[in-house]
Amino acid sequence: MHLLDIRLHLFGIVVALSVVLVIAQQTCRFLFRRIRAQKRKQALMAAAQAIGFTFQGDDWNHQPEEHQLGTALFSEGRSRRFNNIMIGTAAGLKTSIFDYSYITTGSQNTPKHTQTVAAFSGNLCLPLFVLAPKGFADRIVDAVSHQNVDFESHPDFAGRYVLHATPPVLFPHAPTPQDEDNKIKIRELFSPALLTFLQALPPQTFEWNIEGCGATLILYRAGRITLPDGLRSFLDETGSIARTFFSLCGLKKPTA
């Protein structure tokens, strides 16, 4: 056998071994994720029972309930999935808790974003809005595009929070009459009492994103899931904020 033939043969073996190794690694990662997801599911089933909630599994991936959630989070990315859905009542409100994940569109490594979400239904019709703690990148976007909804009565509010009708972008489209109408409704929603409440929350502990649309108010920490043993604390904190939000907001409940 010629030296060149030997080298080609060895090269073929190396390539084959590399392919086998990659497949083995991917298989191990897949199995690890499946096992971890199953363990989380089992633990959350027990945690849901402990807080008096009904565990529904992943049913929303195939049923109409997911289409009732029209806030900005549920339009992010692709391959959107609902998992570990739990249904019950908290703070006097119909409540759902679930894991929600999506894959970032256009990213080379397609990172998956997963967060535990609490959704509360109240007897109001909320405008579409996004409220989040303000970070450095948000300050740059706001300085360029001026999309943040500000309040003269609470000037410090804009320093702590991003408040928009939709997720902020660096180069927004020209505002439409519908956009302006939604901003008016947002200003009506965020009453002085609600602004004072939000502004008084401790900056070091308030990491919640709050979004609303229609009858639904959702709270979540972006990219963070709640551990099963922290589910009751998660429900207590989000339920308290949701109850106060609905009670202090400037919208009037519809008459019967």
Side-chain angles (χ1 to χ4, degrees):
M1 181 178 293
H2 295 292
L3 181 59
L4 179 60
D5 294 333
I6 295 175
R7 289 178 177 176
L8 289 174
H9 182 67
L10 291 175
F11 177 75
I13 294 176
V14 171
V15 170
L17 289 175
S18 298
V19 171
V20 171
L21 180 60
V22 169
I23 294 175
Q25 287 178 335
Q26 291 178 343
T27 302
C28 288
R29 289 173 183 171
F30 173 78
L31 292 175
F32 175 75
R33 287 195 296 266
R34 288 291 300 271
I35 293 171
R36 184 174 60 181
Q38 188 61 28
K39 286 184 176 180
R40 175 170 174 79
K41 180 179 180 180
Q42 294 295 329
L44 284 175
M45 290 176 67
Q49 184 176 11
I51 63 174
F53 273 48
T54 301
F55 190 87
Q56 290 192 337
D58 308 332
D59 289 349
W60 283 1
N61 292 313
H62 306 288
Q63 293 183 3
E65 283 89 341
E66 67 170 282
H67 301 294
Q68 298 175 8
L69 298 170
T71 71
L73 173 66
F74 305 108
S75 63
E76 293 281 351
R78 55 186 176 84
S79 299
R80 305 161 189 152
R81 289 193 61 83
F82 295 84
N83 295 102
N84 301 317
I85 302 160
M86 295 161 275
I87 304 294
T89 301
L93 301 166
K94 181 180 177 182
T95 306
S96 303
I97 303 174
F98 50 88
D99 293 333
Y100 176 74
S101 61
Y102 63 91
I103 296 176
T104 303
T105 303
S107 175
Q108 183 177 1
N109 296 320
T110 59
K112 185 177 182 180
H113 303 269
T114 304
Q115 41 272 305
T116 302
V117 180
F120 301 89
S121 295
N123 190 24
L124 293 174
C125 185
L126 303 172
L128 179 64
F129 74 88
V130 177
L131 176 72
K134 197 168 192 175
F136 178 73
D138 298 309
R139 298 177 190 277
I140 295 176
V141 172
D142 187 47
V144 175
S145 61
H146 304 290
Q147 298 173 71
N148 206 29
V149 179
D150 300 326
F151 299 87
E152 293 183 1
S153 62
H154 292 70
D156 294 338
F157 182 82
R160 286 192 55 187
Y161 297 101
V162 177
L163 175 60
H164 296 286
T166 58
V169 293
L170 188 58
F171 301 107
H173 62 77
T176 65
Q178 184 178 2
D179 294 332
E180 295 302 324
D181 182 60
N182 200 50
K183 282 188 176 182
I184 292 173
K185 292 179 180 178
I186 290 175
R187 292 185 181 278
E188 179 185 358
L189 172 68
F190 283 81
S191 66
L194 180 56
L195 292 171
T196 299
F197 164 72
L198 293 170
Q199 195 169 274
L201 290 172
Q204 67 274 18
T205 59
F206 187 83
E207 300 175 337
W208 298 105
N209 288 57
I210 303 179
E211 299 180 8
C213 182
T216 304
L217 184 77
I218 70 166
L219 290 92
Y220 64 96
R221 291 184 174 104
R224 293 173 58 180
I225 62 171
T226 297
L227 297 177
D229 59 4
L231 188 63
R232 184 178 295 278
S233 177
F234 173 85
L235 179 62
D236 289 344
E237 188 171 359
T238 56
S240 176
I241 294 174
R243 180 179 60 241
T244 305
F245 190 103
F246 280 117
S247 65
L248 296 182
C249 74
L251 298 183
K252 296 181 179 179
K253 293 184 179 181
T255 57

